[in-house]
Amino acid sequence: MTIELLQLTKQFGKLTAVDRIDLKIGEGEVLCLLGPSGCGKTTTLRMIAGLEFASDGEIRLGDVRVNELAARERNVAMTFQFYALYPSLTVAENLAYPLHAEALSAGEIARRVDQIARILQLGPVLKRRPGQLAEGEKQRVAVGRSIIRDAVCFLFDEPLSRLDVQLRETMRGEIKAVLEGLNKPTVIVTHDQLEALTMADRIAVMRDGRIEQVASPHEIFARPANLFVAGFIGTPQMNLLPVKLVDRTTDGVRFALGEATVILPVNGATSALRPSAALTIGVRPRAFDLAAQPAPDTIAARVDIIEPMGAETLLHLLAGEHELRVVVDRRTRPAIGSTVHLRCKPNQLHLFGTDEQRLDLRTVPAGVPA
Ligand code: ATP
């Protein structure tokens, strides 16, 4: 079973909430729809579930076009949040609750409850009531209730949004493990990138109804396809610096950053660029080293604010008029107002063209002109 969206579009009057998206979610794959509020994640999910009809395009579950089918005919399980449990029912009764609408035999219900209890390791507490459970166990029961129906796919809309931070952390890992065992296509909507990065096999990053990039969590983080994805994924946020190409040297390409210049060890796509092309350099806050001396390949920046973060320290810096965020070891303590010299770590540069799309880079081998 797979879920396939072809040019899927949803219009609310003049507003295009979902704009011609193409997406295929494989058998057993967990896909996270990630993006800022209002980008169309929930509308996409509701269209798959049949709670909202598509304005255009197609939804296929396996080989079947389901656009015209009502929600109950699609056999899709959709969970909005992991709701509270019924306090007067036992764990087994709570788990069985969603099955009562399905006209199943008592034997079949017991079999499903046992199966889910095994997957979620709830066997020992099946006879207890929610009041006698640890918080993590309660959440596992809530997950169990969402997946107990023999649906063709699972859809979750911000399932963890109501939980406190600590529980979220443990639940992310647990849900991932459970979903892997089910081997059904699953779509999770979230605006929380950590949730997406830990739970997804692939992430689709959305903006304004469009999909900006679909890739594995690692790929999205290591090779963001455009400026939006680069700025959206990763905390602290990636530094995005507007630069102009000046010329090519034996050590790399010289860029103008405000009044200053910096030589960065890149070529690849830059060989096709004309001088003075306006580009954006992306460097993650952990991808800088502090150099002892200024050099042609360093960026000078003044220390503005120092923010301790436990084992690391976040420095807010100013390079001319550009703000930079740099994470250093907590023992590195430059004085506020002093100047530091930043060198990009090798192979950790991102470059985006005038059209905001990623340019592919190759590091310059030493001594070869860029
Ligand atoms: P959030 O995380 O805030 O729910 P989202 O990415 O899930 O955001 P959607 O809820 O899908 O976004 O909404 C996408 C756009 O469609 C928004 O501009 C929203 O206001 C609009 N929208 C959603 N549902 C309706 C509706 N029933 N009628 C009119 N406009 C709607």
Side-chain angles (χ1 to χ4, degrees):
M1 173 60 68
T2 56
I3 304 173
E4 203 169 351
L5 312 180
L6 301 152
Q7 293 286 297
L8 186 65
T9 299
K10 179 69 188 180
Q11 224 116 23
F12 293 111
K14 284 209 173 109
L15 175 84
T16 306
V18 176
D19 193 3
R20 289 166 289 157
I21 64 175
D22 288 309
L23 197 57
K24 184 163 183 176
I25 300 123
E27 210 160 318
E29 183 178 34
V30 178
L31 180 117
C32 277
L33 288 176
L34 175 68
S37 183
C39 69
K41 309 179 291 291
T42 298
T43 305
T44 303
L45 204 68
R46 289 173 59 82
M47 283 193 282
I48 301 171
L51 301 173
E52 205 77 76
F53 282 105
S55 310
D56 208 348
E58 193 165 80
I59 304 164
R60 300 179 77 83
L61 296 180
D63 294 334
V64 183
R65 172 187 163 104
V66 297
N67 291 49
E68 288 74 28
L69 297 186
R72 70 192 135 67
E73 296 169 311
R74 296 190 191 185
N75 193 19
V76 162
M78 177 146 168
T79 302
F80 295 94
Q81 272 161 358
F82 293 131
Y83 282 109
L85 307 177
Y86 299 106
S88 59
L89 302 185
T90 63
V91 168
E93 288 162 345
N94 265 288
L95 286 174
Y97 200 86
L99 298 179
H100 291 314
E102 292 201 13
L104 297 173
S105 68
E108 176 61 13
I109 291 180
R111 192 188 68 74
R112 294 260 190 98
V113 168
D114 274 351
Q115 181 195 14
I116 292 297
R118 219 174 25 250
I119 293 172
L120 290 163
Q121 295 167 11
L122 289 167
V125 297
L126 276 177
K127 293 207 170 64
R128 295 205 194 144
R129 289 181 208 287
Q132 301 164 293
L133 301 179
E135 211 47 39
E137 289 170 331
K138 279 190 210 164
Q139 287 305 322
R140 291 215 296 277
V141 180
V143 174
R145 249 185 354 189
S146 314
I147 61 175
I148 194 158
R149 280 188 45 223
D150 193 16
V152 294
C153 62
F154 294 106
L155 310 175
F156 295 92
D157 193 356
E158 305 272 359
L160 304 178
S161 58
R162 288 270 198 87
L163 305 183
D164 68 38
V165 176
Q166 220 173 356
L167 199 51
R168 269 182 181 209
E169 256 174 44
T170 51
M171 287 300 289
R172 287 200 296 256
E174 283 196 10
I175 293 178
K176 168 104 180 117
V178 169
L179 294 178
E180 267 169 9
L182 296 176
N183 207 27
K184 301 221 171 132
T186 300
V187 183
I188 302 176
V189 159
T190 180
H191 66 272
D192 180 336
Q193 52 171 291
L194 252 183
E195 236 163 82
L197 290 166
T198 45
M199 295 201 293
D201 295 317
R202 280 189 308 155
I203 297 175
V205 181
M206 289 186 73
R207 170 172 66 160
D208 294 342
R210 308 295 306 259
I211 291 180
E212 296 280 326
Q213 185 172 11
V214 193
S216 69
H218 173 74
E219 180 78 2
I220 292 246
F221 187 83
R223 297 173 48 79
N226 55 43
L227 269 185
F228 175 76
V229 177
F232 190 71
I233 300 280
T235 45
Q237 204 184 12
M238 184 189 282
N239 295 290
L240 296 170
L241 299 167
V243 294
K244 284 217 163 82
L245 192 148
V246 179
D247 57 9
R248 298 181 172 82
T249 75
T250 47
D251 298 321
V253 177
R254 192 189 329 262
F255 295 98
L257 171 64
E259 303 285 289
T261 64
V262 57
I263 294 176
L264 297 173
V266 296
N267 63 359
T270 63
S271 55
L273 296 170
R274 58 188 164 73
S276 90
L279 308 168
T280 304
I281 290 174
V283 190
R284 295 212 182 271
R286 292 183 176 80
F288 284 113
D289 287 319
L290 296 193
Q293 311 276 347
D297 64 342
T298 62
I299 299 169
R302 192 166 54 76
V303 180
D304 193 25
I305 299 170
I306 296 178
E307 202 179 314
M309 301 195 303
E312 297 175 315
T313 300
L314 173 59
L315 306 177
H316 296 264
L317 309 169
L318 286 169
E321 58 179 12
H322 301 293
E323 290 177 24
L324 283 166
R325 294 163 299 278
V326 176
V327 174
V328 294
D329 187 275
R330 78 180 156 81
R331 284 161 298 197
T332 309
R333 282 245 147 191
I336 288 180
S338 66
T339 297
V340 293
H341 303 284
L342 305 169
R343 177 174 286 127
C344 298
K345 290 182 179 163
N347 301 321
Q348 297 211 29
L349 264 174
H350 307 263
L351 196 61
F352 303 93
T354 319
D355 60 357
E356 303 198 349
Q357 300 302 306
R358 176 183 194 83
L359 294 169
D360 267 312
L361 301 177
R362 267 184 289 128
T363 304
V364 180
V368 178

